[in-house]
Amino acid sequence: MSSFRILTTYSPWLILVCVAAGVLYAWLLYSKRTPWSRNLNYALAFLRFAVVSFLCFLLLGPLVRYFKNTTLQPTIVFAVDNSSSVTLFSDTSQLQQTQQGLQQLMTRLQDNGYNTQIRTLETGEQAQTLTDIRFKQEATNLSQLLRQAQNEQERENLAGVILLSDGIVNQGTSPTYSNYNFTIYPIAVGDTVPKKDIILASLRYNKVNYSGNKFPIEAELQHEGFGGSSATVLLKENGKVLERKQVTLQANRALQVVPFSVLAGGLGKKHYEVEIQPLQGEFTTLNNTKHAYIDVVKGKIKILVAAASPHPDIKAIRAAIESNENYETELFLPGVNTLKQQEYDVAVLHQLPSRTAGGEAVLNLVRQKQMPALYIIGPQSDISAFNRLNMGLSIGGSGDSDEVTSALNPNFSTFKLATEATERLQQYPPATVPYAEFELSKNAETVLYQQVGRVRTNRPLLVVQNANDQRNATLLASGTWQWRLAEASAHEKPEVYDKLITNLVQLLTAPRNKKRLNVFPARDEYSSADEIYFEAEAYNQALEPIYGQNISLKITDEEDNTRSFTFANGENQAGVNIGSLPGGRYTYAASATIGGQLQQDKGEFVVEELQLEALNAVADHNLLFQLGNNTGSRLYYPTQLQQLEEDILKADHKNLIYSSESFNDLVDMKWIFFVILALVCAEWFVRKYNGSY
C-alpha cells in the first residue's frame, strides 16, 4: 500500500500569497475589454490564475513525501547437509523417503502462506526440489550453511531453518558457538552407533623439501574395536611400495603415529600415498588411504651479505631475508671474518664499493661470478666507483646528504606489496640519502621514490636494473634498520619491510622471463573440492603484453588421461575455469600462435584429495539437539515430519510489514512541466484564434 503527502519548506500561509498573486495577475490581464465572450474570458482568466499560482507555489520548494508498506510472508529455509557422509553412513532408501517427505512438507507450508527456499552446502545455483539433491560434497561446514541462509534472508521474514544433517562437522567452527535470530528445526539422519573400523586420520609432513635430504612422513592411526590386532601400513610412490610397517593396535590409545623416512630425489612435485591394508570385519575402507604432495626443490638460496663496516642495517636486512625459510645468509665484514669462496645466488653489498679498503675481494667475486646484487648506498660509499659499475643509476652531486621518507611507485608492477604498504612506508622514519642529481638508464625502473615531508619527488630511492639476463638493484638509503624497528613497534611484525627485502631477493635471483607465452594455475595448491583456474600472459617480440590470443591447454593426470581446453587471454580477466579435478599430480602443456610463431609453455600442479567425509562414521545428533534447544526448538527424526509441520504452524509466524518513505522535489517531476506548458499553449492558441495576443 502506498500514499503520499505534499510538504513545503516554508510556512503554509504563503500558499495564500501564491493564490493572491495568481488572482491579481489574471485580473490585470483579463479585466480589460476583450473581443471574445464573457464565459471564454472567465475560462482564460482561470487558466492564467492556475498557471501563475502554481508557479509561485513551486518557488516555496514543495516536497512530495511518499509512504510505501511492503508485506513479507514468513520464510522457511530447507538447509540440507548434502555431504557424502550422509549417504555413506545412512540407509539409502530411508534417506530418499526423507527427501520426498520434506518435499511434501515444503508444498504444504507454501499452501499455508509460507515462502520456502532450498539451501545446500554447494555454492552457486541450488536444486529446484529437495528430491533432486545429491549427497556428493567432500566437506561439511554447517556454520557457513546456516550463516548463508541468514545473510540471504537478511531483508526477508526468516521464520526458521529446517536442517537435515547427520551432525558431522569437518570444516569451519561448530554451529553451536553462534547465535541465531531464527528457529532451527534439526532433522537427524545417520547412525550414532560406533563402527568397528580403522582410520588413517591424517598425515604430517613438510610440503617443501630439499633434494638429497631425508624428510619424515608421519601417519596418524585411529581405530575402534581392533585393540590387540596387527595392521600393515604401506608407503607408496606412483603405485610402488617404498616401505612397509607392521603396527600393533593398542586398545587404550586413541591415536598412534607411524613414522616413515623418505629420501627426496629429483626436483618437482612428488605424490606419495599411505595406505592401511584392510582388516577383516572393517566397516569401510574409504578412510584407509591418505595422500601426501611434496615439492622437492634444489636447496636454500644463499645470499652473501657484505658491508664496508659493522652497521645496524646489516642485522635488519639479514633478519628480513631469513624471514623466508628458503633463504640463508652468509656475512662478510672486511677485517672481521674471512670471505668464504662458495656458490652464492645473490649478494647484498652495504656501502660497497667503499672509500675504505677491504671490500675489493667481495666486489671481484660478484664481478667474476656475474652475481646479481643489491647495492646499498651510504656515507662510506665510493660514489665514483659505484657509477663505474653501470648499475642503471648515475649519482652526481656535492656530497651532501638529505633526510627523506619513501613513497611507492604506483606504476611498478614486477612484484606486489601488501595493500597496507603505502600507508606504512609513509610512517617510516627518515633515512639518509645522497643529496645529488640522479640519472636513470633506459633499463632501470624505480620501485620507491624519495619523499620530503608530504611532497613526493621524482628522485629515486630504490631502483631495479634489467641488464641482459641479470638484474641488479640499488637502495640509496642507509639507516633503514629504523624502518624495520618502527614497523615492528607499531604493528607487532615488520611485514612490509620484510616483504620488500625478500621480494627484491626473489626478483634478483629469478631468471628473466623471455617466454612469449606464460600459462600458470592461479593458485599453487587446490583441493578436490575447488574449481581450478588457469591464467595466461602473452607477449609480442618486444615483450609487451598483448591480449586476445587463442590458447590451447592440455591437462594430463598421473594415468596419462588428457583433458583439452581452449580460451583467449584478456586484460584484467580471471582466466579459464577448468572445473574441479580428483586428487593427484597433474602436468599441463599450453600452446598459442603469436605473430605467426608457435609459442609453448608447460608446468605442473597438485590437487589434494580431501577425504574428510569418510573419517567419521558416527553421526553427531547431540550437536543437532543443541542447535534446536538453543533456538527454542527440539530434535526431530525422519519419522516425525508430521510433528515438525504441526510445530511450525503452531508457532503462528506473522507477516512482517516494512514501511519506507522518500522525499522528491515537486519541481523535479517532468510531467508537471508538460502540464504547465500545455495550459500556457492552450491559452495562447485561444487568444490568437480570437484575434488577440
Side-chain angles (χ1 to χ4, degrees):
M1 186 179 78
S2 300
S3 61
F4 71 92
R5 291 179 57 190
I6 296 179
L7 308 173
T8 63
T9 55
Y10 298 93
S11 172
W13 290 104
L14 291 177
I15 297 176
L16 297 177
V17 177
C18 297
V19 173
V23 170
L24 180 62
Y25 199 109
W27 180 80
L28 291 174
L29 186 61
Y30 288 101
S31 62
K32 301 176 182 179
R33 190 179 186 88
T34 58
W36 47 75
S37 66
R38 177 175 296 181
N39 291 336
L40 182 58
N41 196 57
Y42 287 152
L44 293 175
F46 179 78
L47 281 178
R48 183 56 60 98
F49 158 75
V51 170
V52 173
S53 297
F54 190 73
L55 289 176
C56 292
F57 177 66
L58 291 179
L59 295 177
L60 300 181
L63 300 173
V64 180
R65 183 182 185 184
Y66 288 98
F67 296 92
K68 184 178 181 181
N69 293 330
T70 304
T71 302
L72 299 177
Q73 294 178 314
T75 299
I76 297 292
V77 175
F78 286 76
V80 180
D81 170 8
N82 62 327
S83 59
S84 58
S85 66
V86 174
T87 188
L88 282 174
F89 309 123
S90 299
D91 183 83
T92 304
S93 61
Q94 184 186 34
L95 184 59
Q96 292 176 349
Q97 291 176 5
T98 303
Q99 289 178 264
Q100 294 172 359
L102 285 174
Q103 183 62 43
Q104 295 169 3
L105 173 60
M106 177 186 289
T107 303
R108 291 194 295 271
L109 289 176
Q110 292 171 351
D111 294 340
N112 282 277
Y114 285 85
N115 292 326
T116 60
Q117 187 183 60
I118 297 175
R119 165 57 60 187
T120 65
L121 294 171
E122 296 171 294
T123 57
E125 187 175 353
Q126 298 293 309
Q128 297 299 312
T129 64
L130 291 164
T131 54
D132 291 337
I133 295 175
R134 298 294 176 262
F135 296 82
K136 295 182 178 180
Q137 290 300 109
E138 297 183 346
T140 305
N141 189 338
L142 292 185
S143 181
Q144 184 183 51
L145 175 63
L146 295 171
R147 187 166 56 250
Q148 285 178 343
Q150 183 176 10
N151 293 341
E152 290 176 356
Q153 299 294 319
E154 186 175 6
R155 296 291 299 172
E156 303 295 329
N157 182 9
L158 180 57
V161 173
I162 296 176
L163 175 64
L164 178 68
S165 176
D166 57 7
I168 298 174
V169 175
N170 45 46
Q171 272 193 352
T173 60
S174 172
T176 57
Y177 297 150
S178 301
N179 295 320
Y180 302 101
N181 57 359
F182 54 86
T183 305
I184 299 176
Y185 302 95
I187 303 175
V189 293
D191 194 349
T192 58
V193 178
K195 312 295 190 300
K196 188 178 181 181
D197 198 13
I198 182 170
I199 301 169
L200 181 52
S202 65
L203 297 180
R204 295 189 304 197
Y205 57 92
N206 290 328
K207 292 189 175 183
V208 178
N209 293 280
Y210 301 108
S211 179
N213 292 349
K214 283 193 172 184
F215 64 92
I217 296 180
E218 295 183 344
E220 295 184 339
L221 275 62
Q222 295 176 345
H223 73 91
E224 181 71 38
F226 282 102
S229 301
S230 179
T232 302
V233 186
L234 307 178
L235 174 65
K236 301 179 182 179
E237 182 183 11
N238 299 326
K240 179 183 176 182
V241 177
L242 300 181
E243 193 172 353
R244 180 190 305 264
K245 287 197 173 183
Q246 292 291 128
V247 180
T248 300
L249 303 175
Q250 300 178 20
N252 58 349
R253 290 184 62 181
L255 187 71
Q256 292 181 238
V257 178
V258 181
F260 294 96
S261 182
V262 186
L263 178 64
L267 299 176
K269 311 285 186 184
K270 303 295 181 182
H271 177 195
Y272 298 95
E273 180 182 358
V274 178
E275 177 188 348
I276 305 173
Q277 291 191 324
L279 299 180
Q280 185 68 31
E282 196 173 352
F283 174 71
T284 179
T285 60
L286 293 174
N287 47 25
N288 284 29
T289 306
K290 282 283 184 182
H291 301 267
Y293 301 95
I294 309 293
D295 193 5
V296 180
V297 297
K298 178 182 70 172
K300 288 191 175 184
I301 293 175
K302 295 182 179 179
I303 297 99
L304 172 63
V305 180
S309 61
H311 195 282
D313 282 354
I314 303 303
K315 174 67 175 177
I317 292 171
R318 292 186 71 187
I321 293 173
E322 292 173 354
S323 66
N324 187 322
E325 61 181 13
N326 293 323
Y327 297 158
E328 63 179 6
T329 62
E330 183 71 33
L331 179 62
F332 169 66
L333 293 172
V336 177
N337 59 353
T338 305
L339 177 62
K340 295 182 180 180
Q341 298 294 326
Q342 58 182 355
E343 292 296 325
Y344 298 102
D345 296 287
V346 65
V348 177
L349 306 177
H350 188 270
Q351 303 191 86
L352 291 174
S354 172
R355 290 181 294 180
T356 59
E360 296 80 6
V362 69
L363 291 171
N364 290 334
L365 178 65
V366 170
R367 185 165 46 250
Q368 291 170 5
K369 300 292 186 181
Q370 295 185 342
M371 195 185 308
L374 167 62
Y375 293 85
I376 301 176
I377 305 300
Q380 297 184 48
S381 296
D382 186 337
I383 301 300
S384 298
F386 171 79
N387 288 337
R388 290 194 295 270
L389 295 176
N390 297 320
M391 290 294 107
L393 175 68
S394 177
I395 306 173
S398 62
D400 295 333
S401 62
D402 198 3
E403 299 288 323
V404 302
T405 55
S406 58
L408 190 64
N409 178 9
N411 297 320
F412 182 78
S413 58
T414 305
F415 60 76
K416 296 292 184 183
L417 293 175
T419 54
E420 63 270 16
T422 301
E423 179 183 352
R424 292 195 186 183
L425 285 172
Q426 293 179 350
Q427 295 173 353
Y428 286 169
T432 303
V433 299
Y435 185 77
E437 295 294 330
F438 303 97
E439 183 178 351
L440 291 179
S441 62
K442 293 183 179 180
N443 60 1
E445 187 177 7
T446 301
V447 183
L448 298 177
Y449 285 108
Q450 297 181 25
Q451 180 166 313
V452 180
R454 295 186 177 182
V455 179
R456 195 192 79 173
T457 69
N458 59 0
R459 297 196 298 269
L461 182 62
L462 175 60
V463 175
V464 173
Q465 178 200 37
N466 295 309
N468 299 322
D469 291 338
Q470 183 177 316
R471 292 187 177 95
N472 294 289
T474 303
L475 177 62
L476 293 160
S478 64
T480 60
W481 63 271
Q482 299 177 77
W483 293 1
R484 193 172 193 271
L485 187 64
E487 186 180 1
S489 176
H491 304 283
E492 294 186 3
K493 293 184 179 180
E495 295 176 349
V496 171
Y497 181 89
D498 289 357
K499 191 66 175 176
L500 175 64
I501 300 298
T502 54
N503 278 351
L504 275 175
V505 172
Q506 183 179 10
L507 179 64
L508 296 178
T509 56
R512 288 201 64 192
N513 183 12
K514 292 187 177 182
K515 294 190 300 182
R516 294 178 60 188
L517 179 65
N518 189 19
V519 179
F520 51 93
R523 285 164 40 189
D524 294 332
E525 292 182 354
Y526 287 95
S527 73
S528 53
D530 294 331
E531 292 186 336
I532 300 170
Y533 286 85
F534 268 78
E535 298 181 355
E537 298 171 349
Y539 301 90
N540 58 19
Q541 290 186 346
L543 294 182
E544 297 170 333
I546 54 178
Y547 304 100
Q549 306 301 304
N550 292 322
I551 300 169
S552 298
L553 176 65
K554 290 185 177 180
I555 309 293
T556 305
D557 62 18
E558 294 173 291
E559 305 296 329
D560 290 331
N561 298 314
T562 301
R563 305 185 186 191
S564 299
F565 304 88
T566 302
F567 66 102
N569 72 314
E571 189 173 7
N572 298 323
Q573 291 185 1
V576 60
N577 180 0
I578 67 171
S580 57
L581 294 174
R585 183 177 62 87
Y586 293 84
T587 59
Y588 64 89
S591 62
T593 301
I594 303 176
Q597 297 180 347
L598 180 65
Q599 305 294 331
Q600 296 178 320
D601 193 19
K602 61 182 180 179
E604 58 183 355
F605 64 99
V606 164
V607 178
E608 294 194 18
E609 193 75 49
L610 284 179
Q611 295 180 306
L612 297 176
E613 292 298 303
L615 288 179
N616 191 354
V618 181
D620 189 356
H621 290 180
N622 183 56
L623 180 143
L624 299 177
F625 171 81
Q626 291 182 50
L627 275 177
N629 187 63
N630 292 344
T631 58
S633 179
R634 48 164 287 194
L635 180 64
Y636 299 88
Y637 292 95
T639 57
Q640 298 175 308
L641 296 185
Q642 182 64 39
Q643 181 63 48
L644 172 59
E645 179 182 358
E646 293 175 1
D647 291 346
I648 293 176
L649 296 178
K650 285 180 181 177
D652 193 23
H653 299 106
K654 304 295 184 182
N655 292 341
L656 280 184
I657 299 178
Y658 285 102
S659 295
S660 61
E661 64 176 6
S662 61
F663 294 87
N664 293 320
D665 286 323
L666 193 63
V667 73
D668 291 336
M669 298 182 180
K670 294 181 179 180
W671 64 271
I672 292 179
F673 166 77
F674 291 107
V675 169
I676 295 175
L677 180 63
L679 294 175
V680 172
C681 291
E683 181 187 1
W684 174 85
F685 176 78
V686 172
R687 291 172 62 89
K688 183 74 173 177
Y689 183 79
N690 288 277
S692 177
Y693 294 98

